[in-house]
Amino acid sequence: DFKVKAPQIVSQGSKLRRCQETNFYKWIRGSFFALDALLIVAELQHDSTTMANEGGTSELAFHRWVSTICLVYMWCEMIFAFVLEFPKIDILFGRTGQRFMNEAAIVQHTLAVIGTVAFPGERYTSDFRIFVSHFNFIRIFRTMVVLPGLGGQYLRQQLGELHIMIKALTGTVGPLMWCTMMYSIILLIFGVFFTEGAAS
């Protein structure tokens, strides 16, 4: 994170800051995250049903509108968070600790909505929409990671064990990436060694 030399946009004791800390706001935020994940599941269920019965797919306007509403809320919520934190700008972690995942999910969601508008009815024929849909899992994973901390104290207590397990899994992503890089380097070294030996 970094700071810019500018005054705060929202003062410390303002109603907006107090609103952000209320359970009602957290429940609303969690509900939109859950709705977004459920929408992906509902779309896949609808597509599989229509393909089995009719041999093709048909897109529902209801799904498109709900997805667009969720996306607008996600953008507004992200901008709201940056406004509250200004002049401090934290792109990676934010107040929940998973801001980068939320940003990646919003980018994927935005591209998915753009693809729906630009290529209607081509969910499984447009290369752009197929490529973007391969990353739908980011939005579901985002919901699974942040949901236990968004429903206030009650939901946090009810999903405490799940939250601990998710934190443990997300904590291993960094070491896993470094381990994968090390493994790739080792394979590259031995690949070059054996290729040079076979060539000579």
Side-chain angles (χ1 to χ4, degrees):
D1 60 340
F2 58 93
K3 284 187 176 183
V4 297
K5 292 183 178 180
Q8 285 185 333
I9 298 176
V10 180
S11 60
Q12 287 293 340
S14 67
K15 291 183 178 180
L16 287 177
R17 289 189 183 277
R18 292 197 299 268
C19 174
Q20 183 197 21
E21 299 301 326
T22 61
N23 284 338
F24 178 75
Y25 177 83
K26 293 177 181 179
W27 275 100
I28 293 295
R29 188 167 184 254
S31 298
F32 270 97
F33 282 138
L35 178 62
D36 181 48
L38 291 175
L39 182 65
I40 295 174
V41 177
E43 287 178 341
L44 291 175
Q45 179 65 30
H46 172 74
D47 289 345
S48 61
T49 302
T50 53
M51 289 179 78
N53 296 335
E54 303 173 10
T57 60
S58 62
E59 297 181 357
L60 296 178
F62 172 76
H63 288 168
R64 183 170 62 251
W65 280 108
V66 174
S67 180
T68 304
I69 291 171
C70 287
L71 178 62
V72 170
Y73 171 81
M74 301 295 180
W75 272 110
C76 291
E77 199 275 332
M78 178 67 70
I79 294 171
F80 178 58
F82 279 118
V83 168
L84 289 181
E85 294 174 5
F86 191 84
K88 178 183 177 182
I89 300 176
D90 187 354
I91 298 176
L92 295 179
F93 300 104
R95 65 184 184 277
T96 59
Q98 289 94 19
R99 174 163 291 168
F100 180 75
M101 185 182 303
N102 191 24
E103 291 166 346
I106 290 175
V107 170
Q108 193 278 336
H109 196 172
T110 303
L111 293 176
V113 171
I114 291 173
T116 303
V117 174
F119 307 102
E122 300 180 25
R123 170 69 173 80
Y124 296 100
T125 55
S126 168
D127 292 336
F128 176 78
R129 293 189 65 182
I130 292 173
F131 176 77
V132 172
S133 65
H134 286 164
F135 299 94
N136 279 342
F137 72 91
I138 297 176
R139 288 154 62 189
I140 298 177
F141 188 64
R142 183 261 312 269
T143 302
M144 184 181 70
V145 169
V146 303
L147 190 59
L150 293 178
Q153 191 64 31
Y154 174 76
L155 188 61
R156 198 173 294 116
Q157 290 175 352
Q158 297 299 317
L159 302 178
E161 292 82 2
L162 175 63
H163 197 41
I164 292 172
M165 293 169 60
I166 291 172
K167 285 289 186 181
L169 287 174
T170 54
T172 61
V173 173
L176 179 62
M177 291 177 61
W178 287 114
C179 183
T180 303
M181 179 182 288
M182 166 87 70
Y183 182 65
S184 301
I185 292 173
I186 293 173
L187 286 178
L188 178 63
I189 292 172
F190 279 97
V192 170
F193 175 77
F194 287 121
T195 302
E196 291 290 342
S200 59

